[in-house]
């Protein structure tokens, strides 16, 4: 990974059409009770695993509101970096600060990783709940992940407490 070309690499990976390699299973995150996570390898158009790229989702229940993230991630050795991420935070909760110190509230997207180079933008949407399928659809559209047999589903989408 070269810092000078990181954002260009992220854009290239986002433009590449990808497919989920396995059904998405949201399971309790071992390091955080009450949090859920889901991961999947990604396949190219020939249905061959794309080296270094994978999908990662997280659900975090919080007293100020629930948060969900959907990410296209890059892993090389032990290093993991964000390529593209949609973070759904409650609109009343500060999630980050821009580089100039301005606070960022609510849903937003990241292109790239802060350790290399990134662009962060606020997202406006009429989608209400953080675990709604509309957020998944938005992430899939930006990250260019196609669905054939398997697809990304939000946490709690197919269980007793699903919507």
């Amino acid at each position: 990974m070269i810092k000078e070309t990181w954002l260009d690499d992220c854009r290239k990976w986002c433009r590449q059409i990808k497919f989920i390699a396995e059904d998405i299973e949201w399971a309790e995150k071992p390091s955080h009770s009450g949090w859920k996570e889901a991961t999947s390898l990604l396949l190219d158009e020939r249905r061959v695993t794309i080296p270094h790229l994978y999908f990662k989702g997280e659900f975090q229940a919080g007293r100020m509101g629930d948060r969900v993230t959907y990410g296209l991630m890059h892993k090389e050795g032990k290093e993991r970096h964000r390529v593209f991420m949609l973070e759904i935070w409650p609109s009343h909760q500060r999630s980050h600060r821009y580089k100039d110190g301005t606070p960022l509230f609510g849903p937003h997207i990241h292109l790239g990783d802060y350790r290399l180079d990134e662009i962060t933008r606020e997202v406006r949407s009429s989608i209400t709940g953080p675990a709604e399928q509309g957020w998944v659809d938005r992430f899939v559209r930006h990250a260019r992940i196609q669905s054939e047999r398997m697809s990304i589903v939000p946490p709690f989408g197919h269980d007793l407490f699903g919507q």
Side-chain angles (χ1 to χ4, degrees), residues 104-121:
L104 176 61
F105 291 85
H108 57 278
I109 58 171
H110 298 274
L111 177 67
D113 190 287
Y114 69 93
R115 293 165 289 179
L116 297 168
D117 196 8
E118 78 171 338
I119 298 170
T120 304
R121 298 280 188 263

Side-chain angles (χ1 to χ4, degrees), residues 20 24 26 42 55 70 133 136-137 139-140 145 147 150-154 158:
I20 294 292
I24 298 297
W26 289 86
L42 296 172
F55 163 78
Y70 301 105
Q133 183 66 39
V136 172
D137 297 342
F139 168 76
V140 163
I145 297 174
S147 175
M150 292 161 278
S151 61
I152 299 172
V153 295
H158 296 298

Side-chain angles (χ1 to χ4, degrees), residues 6-160:
W6 178 247
L7 284 179
D8 291 333
D9 292 341
C10 290
R11 288 181 182 103
K12 178 188 72 170
W13 289 321
C14 284
R15 283 192 299 270
Q16 180 182 8
I17 294 175
K18 298 161 281 299
F19 296 87
I20 294 292
E22 54 206 316
D23 285 324
I24 298 297
E25 297 278 331
W26 289 86
E28 192 161 312
K29 190 172 180 178
S31 60
H32 291 86
S33 179
W35 289 18
K36 293 193 172 287
E37 71 177 348
T39 59
S40 175
L41 296 175
L42 296 172
L43 308 175
D44 66 15
E45 64 278 349
R46 296 172 291 133
R47 306 315 181 265
V48 175
T49 302
I50 302 171
H52 309 293
L53 290 185
Y54 66 100
F55 163 78
K56 177 184 174 186
E58 285 188 347
F59 168 83
Q60 305 164 7
R63 52 178 199 166
M64 302 271 300
D66 297 340
R67 299 176 297 213
V68 179
T69 62
Y70 301 105
L72 174 59
M73 306 295 291
H74 183 271
K75 178 182 177 188
E76 194 166 327
K78 292 184 180 185
E79 292 288 320
R80 297 170 193 263
H81 293 95
R82 174 178 55 216
V83 172
F84 177 81
M85 185 172 282
L86 169 62
E87 294 191 85
I88 302 104
W89 285 62
S91 59
H92 61 275
Q93 189 173 10
R94 180 178 61 90
S95 58
H96 304 292
R97 288 192 185 278
Y98 287 104
K99 291 178 183 179
D100 68 1
T102 306
L104 176 61
F105 291 85
H108 57 278
I109 58 171
H110 298 274
L111 177 67
D113 190 287
Y114 69 93
R115 293 165 289 179
L116 297 168
D117 196 8
E118 78 171 338
I119 298 170
T120 304
R121 298 280 188 263
E122 187 177 333
V123 172
R124 298 195 189 282
S125 177
S126 61
I127 304 168
T128 55
E132 288 192 27
Q133 183 66 39
W135 288 117
V136 172
D137 297 342
R138 184 171 249 186
F139 168 76
V140 163
R141 188 173 61 247
H142 288 293
R144 300 280 306 251
I145 297 174
Q146 302 292 315
S147 175
E148 280 185 336
R149 200 170 42 90
M150 292 161 278
S151 61
I152 299 172
V153 295
F156 314 114
H158 296 298
D159 65 11
L160 179 62

